[in-house]
Amino acid sequence: MITVTAVGEMKALVRRWKAEKKTIGFIPTMGYLHEGHLSLVREAKKRADVTVVSIFVNPIQFGPDEDFKKYPRDLEKDSAYLMKGGADYLFYPDAAEMYPPGFRTFLEVHGLQDRLCGKSRPGHFRGVATVVLKLFNIVGPDLAFFGAKDAQQVLIIKRMAVDLNLDVEVVTCPVVRESDGLALSSRNAYLSSEERKAARVLSVSLRRAEQAVAAGERDAAKVIAGIRSAIEAEPLARVDYVEAVDPTNLEPVAEIRGTVLLTLAVFIGSTRLIDNIRLSV
Ligand code: AMP
């Protein structure tokens, strides 16, 4: 695997691959990689000739009181992991390379960016959309792979790709979970062992809601209340939001019909975790 840190060098490689008619599969990440990230790498390897992973902890998607400074970083471990996973190139720019002095252009995906996580994290998706568009312009992917754990993020990136006529297919990959159901996340590293146990409540409450719907419950308010009360029963957990939404536009639904996204954000101690499940009835 080859690590590239300069935008110009990455673009020169991309020009060569395009001239050779090679397809490019791309996985943007913030590093501190886990099996969830690797599942995206494996999918990219199946579907594209060259697999490029980026690691960039993007400062503009963090709010002033969020964890940008303490976000976990371990380049050595990540590189070894990516080599094992078979990635061909790692794009690893620093903040000055991505946002040189004078940077002033930002991308907004109105409506979608303000709901769910966007309500609790104002400016977050503006930062995400901006960096992903920049990365797409640098890496020139034919295919880009994102995890369904960040359902709002994928929807926003898909919308952006359509709205801006990008020549990239945005592929959604399934959520990878620990054996007890907890969705893998770099932020799980913040959890103490007590908190790690408490964090099960995210997936357990979603699973129970799924069972309630399978048993015939169709009232979204009741499904949400069930999830909330399960989370509130866990002393280390605090609900940020629990919502049942239309997965195409993130509008809240009153009834569980067709395809519905049940999605939540929960603080376990001071760590904010997200999870979701798609129901089709
Ligand atoms: P991050 O490094 O957290 O920004 O994530 C980079 C990419 O990996 C995003 O597309 C995430 O949705 C995806 N990802 C993170 N966790 C998981 C997971 N548990 N399962 C599948 N994909 C994931």
Side-chain angles (χ1 to χ4, degrees):
M1 189 186 65
I2 295 168
T3 302
V4 177
T5 56
V7 169
E9 196 187 332
M10 193 72 241
K11 284 189 144 193
L13 283 165
V14 168
R15 273 196 298 276
R16 199 182 77 204
W17 297 330
K18 302 247 183 224
E20 292 167 354
K21 304 262 178 277
K22 286 185 173 151
T23 55
I24 302 168
F26 178 47
I27 301 108
T29 82
M30 298 208 299
Y32 216 71
L33 302 177
H34 50 64
E35 194 55 33
H37 298 109
L38 269 214
S39 71
L40 308 184
V41 173
R42 278 195 288 272
E43 195 56 30
K45 280 180 66 64
K46 268 192 239 157
R47 298 191 46 185
D49 298 323
V50 185
T51 299
V52 181
V53 176
S54 65
I55 295 181
F56 180 60
V57 184
N58 176 34
I60 67 165
Q61 73 187 60
F62 289 79
D65 300 325
E66 292 183 351
D67 55 345
F68 173 66
K69 282 218 176 96
K70 73 161 195 178
Y71 194 84
R73 294 161 169 91
D74 190 340
L75 179 62
E76 238 173 75
K77 196 168 134 239
D78 285 350
S79 299
Y81 205 49
L82 285 176
M83 259 184 259
K84 196 182 94 191
D88 300 307
Y89 284 80
L90 167 62
F91 180 49
Y92 181 67
D94 64 16
E97 187 71 7
M98 290 297 278
Y99 302 114
F103 184 90
R104 311 188 148 269
T105 306
F106 296 89
L107 182 67
E108 307 222 341
V109 182
H110 290 277
L112 296 182
Q113 70 176 10
D114 306 315
R115 299 178 181 278
L116 305 173
C117 288
K119 250 193 255 170
S120 340
R121 306 185 67 190
H124 171 66
F125 288 113
R126 175 183 189 255
V128 169
T130 302
V131 81
V132 172
L133 181 59
K134 279 175 66 71
L135 289 167
F136 281 2
N137 285 333
I138 296 163
V139 176
D142 299 278
L143 298 150
F145 298 83
F146 291 83
K149 180 171 83 80
D150 299 86
Q152 185 173 14
Q153 171 170 277
V154 198
L155 185 67
I156 286 174
I157 301 304
K158 283 190 170 163
R159 189 71 253 165
M160 168 186 97
V162 171
D163 289 354
L164 300 183
N165 309 97
L166 304 185
D167 288 323
V168 59
E169 182 189 338
V170 177
V171 180
T172 310
C173 300
V175 184
V176 178
R177 298 177 180 280
E178 300 278 10
S179 54
D180 68 355
L182 178 68
L184 297 190
S185 163
S186 310
R187 289 191 167 98
N188 293 349
Y190 297 146
L191 303 172
S192 68
S193 63
E194 280 306 292
E195 289 171 339
R196 171 62 189 79
K197 278 182 220 145
R200 288 188 58 221
V201 75
L202 279 83
S203 59
V204 168
S205 63
L206 285 172
R207 219 37 86 201
R208 268 198 228 142
E210 185 181 38
Q211 285 159 6
V213 171
E217 183 58 75
R218 294 290 177 270
D219 183 341
K222 285 197 184 142
V223 172
I224 291 169
I227 296 174
R228 274 186 169 274
S229 68
I231 295 168
E232 280 157 10
E234 170 49 63
L236 296 178
R238 178 167 59 84
V239 172
D240 180 10
Y241 68 78
V242 180
E243 292 200 39
V245 299
D246 177 337
T248 64
N249 57 20
L250 308 182
E251 299 266 2
V253 299
E255 242 194 306
I256 311 288
R257 291 245 176 267
T259 305
V260 171
L261 182 72
L262 276 183
T263 179
L264 50 76
V266 174
F267 284 94
I268 301 290
S270 57
T271 302
R272 186 176 175 281
L273 300 177
I274 58 173
D275 201 350
N276 69 77
I277 191 169
R278 256 171 113 98
L279 304 175
S280 287
V281 289

